[in-house]
Amino acid sequence: MLCSAAGAGLMVGQYFLIAQVLRDAVMHGAGLPQLMPRLWLLLPIIAARAVLLWAGEATSIGAGARVRLAVRGELARHLLALGPVALAGERTGALTVALIDSVEALDAYVARYLPARAASALVPLTVAVAVLAADKLSALILVLAAPLIPVFMVLIGRGAEKLNQAQWARLARLAAHFLEALQLLTTLKLFNASKREAETIARVSDEYRQATMAVLRVAFLSSLALEFFATVGVALVAIAVGFRLLWGEIGFGEGLFVLLLAPEFFQPLRGLGTQYHARMAAVTAAERIAALLARSSLPLVMAAEGPPSTHGGADTSRRRGWRPFGRHDDRGCDAAPVAAPSLAFDHVSLTYPDNRVALTDVTFHLPPGRVTALIGPSGAGKSSIAALLLRFVAPTAGTIRVDGEDLATIDPATWRRCVAWVPQRPHLFHGTIAANIRLGGPDADDAPVARAAALVGADAFIAKLPAGYGHIIGERGAGLSGGQARLVALARAALRDAPLLILDEPTASLDAETEHLVARAVRRLGEGRTVLIIAHRPEAVRHADATLRLQAGRVMQEATAPCA
């Protein structure tokens, strides 16, 4: 805005000097020596305008980059804070569009539209004041013609905004379709459905093309209307100046000065119309971002959770006097020694926001340093118990206690540092074996990674790989067998060295030999830790110290002896 205001003032001065030079040369026959002082004065004005133009561009581009960085960071943090349960109904492709394309759309709004809007207010006002000093009639024509441009811009923009919303909706749908097709390519090929899915993506792509063209047609129509009114405005000024020059009612220098400034009066308004499409795209994208940021995980997140409190290096749980399982330093569960926790569910119930009852009056105890098996059919509530322990959801009623302390009073970040979680289908990222294991301890060097792999028995197959720990695997563990991927996930949990270990079907879908290897790795990893193993069948957890049977969200049986 400052650069626009300063540039407008210099522009008026530049055109005034040009008009004076041409008047003296044409009307008074002034030679070059008489004109040189004003010509030399033009050079620093032109240079200053160039510097201001560069500074304005650099400032706006930098502001756009900072806004994108801030919004994308805030949105990513918010999505991570919501957790997997709250985002279970969202399509990954739609979230990807929100994080990438929607945030990128804000750049044109900040870097282009906002400066254009500021220039459309400052520059015409400066020009109008300068023209008013030279010719009142021309200033009146400019002031009367100026409102036509924003009025038609808004009228056309209303229809374009709806088209833009439809365009973004189709983009999200296209991204979701394409991403899901890539992720499930094997399934599509096996069921001979890849061609049908390709046709679906082609159809959605064509719908997006048509929506984009519809928006562009409206944008071109808007530009045509703006150019028409700007041209008519300049033409009216030129006609008025021309006739009044003929009648001798205005001087040559004043008339030329007005004619030079008239196009500059409409130029910022035309620029604003050009960038108005960027505003519509940004508003539609921002509505999607705002909807995600407005989503609250409540009542999923415990009321006491809030943002992690780190004022003065202490979190909420520490101010309440709780320390992770008897630790006596400030590093939480990242430091030894490890004391296995005692956990107790005290009349816990859980009802999801869609009124689906997951748990009803559940009471049980996970003794410290013991392996407890949680068995039951699908839909019994086993995953809900894991979600409660991982702080992805909060109990509707009842209390979960950790060494006698209410889990709701413990800072979630502190608590999750004390938990290692191995899901039924662990996600391995594209990269090296070592990088995937190191997810459990990002600061760990090669030696702890190797020790963690040796603890769970993963070092045997890793040593046979061509590059060992540097072997590259694909996303979701492509290139490894199911058992090998499970061992890498267990090594990741071992590197985390957390006192609470939660395992979801650790031996499911494995052959007998691999199941034996994984079961032995689980036994090694569970030594000295409180372990909860989730399984469908009692045979899968026959080495557990105690067994809980869950049925329809209720604990139906609790046995302290190992399952037969």
Side-chain angles (χ1 to χ4, degrees):
M1 291 178 65
L2 291 173
C3 290
S4 296
L10 289 175
M11 177 190 66
V12 170
Q14 176 184 340
Y15 287 152
F16 178 77
L17 288 175
I18 292 175
Q20 295 299 310
V21 167
L22 291 176
R23 182 199 62 184
D24 293 345
V26 174
M27 304 301 295
H28 303 299
L32 189 60
Q34 291 81 20
L35 301 177
M36 282 306 297
R38 291 176 180 174
L39 292 176
W40 282 114
L41 189 58
L42 279 173
L43 294 179
I45 293 178
I46 295 173
R49 287 190 66 189
V51 171
L52 288 172
L53 180 62
W54 171 84
E57 285 286 319
T59 303
S60 60
I61 292 174
R66 289 193 297 273
V67 166
R68 293 201 316 272
L69 181 63
V71 173
R72 182 173 285 125
E74 182 178 354
L75 182 58
R77 285 190 295 271
H78 186 70
L79 293 177
L80 291 173
L82 286 176
V85 176
L87 295 175
E90 294 285 346
R91 301 181 74 173
T92 305
L95 294 177
T96 303
V97 169
L99 270 170
I100 299 175
D101 297 273
S102 295
V103 174
E104 289 297 321
L106 301 180
D107 179 72
Y109 180 84
V110 175
R112 300 298 175 191
Y113 174 74
L114 289 182
R117 190 176 70 176
S120 68
L122 296 172
V123 176
L125 180 61
T126 305
V127 172
V129 171
V131 172
L132 180 63
D135 181 29
K136 294 182 175 58
L137 179 60
S138 298
L140 179 62
I141 295 174
L142 293 177
V143 171
L144 292 177
L148 295 175
I149 294 179
V151 167
F152 276 85
M153 184 173 61
V154 172
L155 291 177
I156 297 174
R158 287 180 178 177
E161 192 164 356
K162 295 181 180 179
L163 295 174
N164 216 64
Q165 290 174 348
Q167 180 197 25
W168 277 99
R170 287 185 172 90
L171 176 60
R173 183 184 173 197
L174 172 62
H177 266 296
F178 188 68
L179 183 59
E180 289 172 357
L182 288 178
Q183 292 176 333
L184 302 176
L185 188 59
T186 302
T187 303
L188 292 173
K189 296 294 288 185
L190 288 175
F191 285 90
N192 198 28
S194 56
K195 184 177 180 181
R196 183 170 65 251
E197 185 63 25
E199 293 173 352
T200 301
I201 293 176
R203 175 172 52 80
V204 177
S205 300
D206 191 62
E207 291 176 357
Y208 177 66
R209 178 189 64 81
Q210 294 177 8
T212 302
M213 293 306 297
V215 174
L216 290 177
R217 281 195 294 270
V218 175
F220 288 140
L221 176 63
S222 175
S223 298
L224 175 63
L226 300 183
E227 291 290 339
F228 173 77
F229 287 112
T231 303
V232 169
V234 174
L236 290 175
V237 172
I239 292 173
V241 170
F243 277 106
R244 295 170 68 217
L245 276 173
L246 182 63
W247 298 333
E249 296 180 358
I250 187 174
F252 180 85
E254 291 81 1
L256 182 58
F257 178 59
V258 169
L259 289 178
L260 288 173
L261 284 180
E264 298 295 340
F265 178 87
F266 292 101
Q267 182 59 40
L269 297 174
R270 295 159 66 184
L272 179 63
T274 303
Q275 300 301 330
Y276 196 71
H277 175 69
R279 174 199 172 274
M280 292 186 296
V283 167
T284 303
E287 287 176 351
R288 172 60 174 160
I289 295 173
L292 288 173
L293 290 175
R295 286 190 58 175
S296 174
S297 52
L298 292 174
L300 296 179
V301 172
M302 300 184 180
E305 178 167 325
S309 301
T310 56
H311 300 293
D315 56 37
T316 304
S317 59
R318 296 188 191 282
R319 288 200 299 272
R320 291 173 178 265
W322 182 82
R323 289 184 180 274
F325 317 131
R327 299 171 187 274
H328 300 290
D329 56 26
D330 292 330
R331 291 176 292 172
C333 285
D334 297 331
V338 173
S342 171
L343 292 98
F345 278 57
D346 186 10
H347 299 286
V348 171
S349 298
L350 175 61
T351 302
Y352 288 101
D354 58 1
N355 295 323
R356 177 169 53 93
V357 178
L359 299 172
T360 304
D361 197 31
V362 171
T363 299
F364 63 86
H365 177 231
L366 300 181
R370 308 293 293 275
V371 178
T372 303
L374 183 64
I375 63 173
S378 297
K382 303 186 301 297
S383 297
S384 294
I385 287 179
L388 286 168
L389 289 174
L390 293 169
R391 296 293 301 272
F392 293 147
V393 292
T396 308
T399 305
I400 304 174
R401 300 189 182 278
V402 183
D403 292 338
E405 182 81 13
D406 188 352
L407 182 59
T409 65
I410 301 173
D411 177 68
T414 301
W415 167 249
R416 288 183 184 133
R417 288 197 297 270
C418 304
V419 181
W421 156 248
V422 181
Q424 181 177 353
R425 289 180 291 275
H427 190 100
L428 300 183
F429 297 89
H430 180 274
T432 64
I433 296 282
N436 275 276
I437 297 176
R438 195 173 280 115
L439 188 64
D443 298 328
D445 54 24
D446 294 341
V449 169
R451 286 197 297 269
L455 177 64
V456 299
D459 57 333
F461 86 85
I462 294 176
K464 298 177 182 178
L465 296 174
Y469 289 92
H471 182 73
I472 301 292
I473 60 175
E475 189 177 1
R476 298 178 182 271
L480 299 180
S481 67
Q484 290 172 339
R486 201 76 55 87
L487 288 175
V488 171
L490 289 170
R492 177 191 296 170
L495 183 62
R496 190 169 183 79
D497 194 23
L500 174 61
L501 178 62
I502 303 175
L503 306 172
D504 188 359
E505 296 282 2
T507 59
S509 306
L510 301 178
D511 58 75
E513 181 180 355
T514 307
E515 181 178 355
H516 175 71
L517 291 175
V518 173
R520 185 171 61 182
V522 170
R523 287 196 300 272
R524 290 178 179 174
L525 188 57
E527 293 179 0
R529 293 178 172 86
T530 300
V531 183
L532 176 64
I533 301 179
I534 299 172
H536 287 85
R537 300 175 291 106
E539 295 80 4
V541 289
R542 56 182 177 271
H543 298 292
D545 300 311
T547 302
L548 299 170
R549 183 180 296 276
L550 209 61
Q551 183 75 34
R554 296 177 181 271
V555 176
M556 306 302 295
Q557 175 186 350
E558 182 171 356
T560 56
C563 295

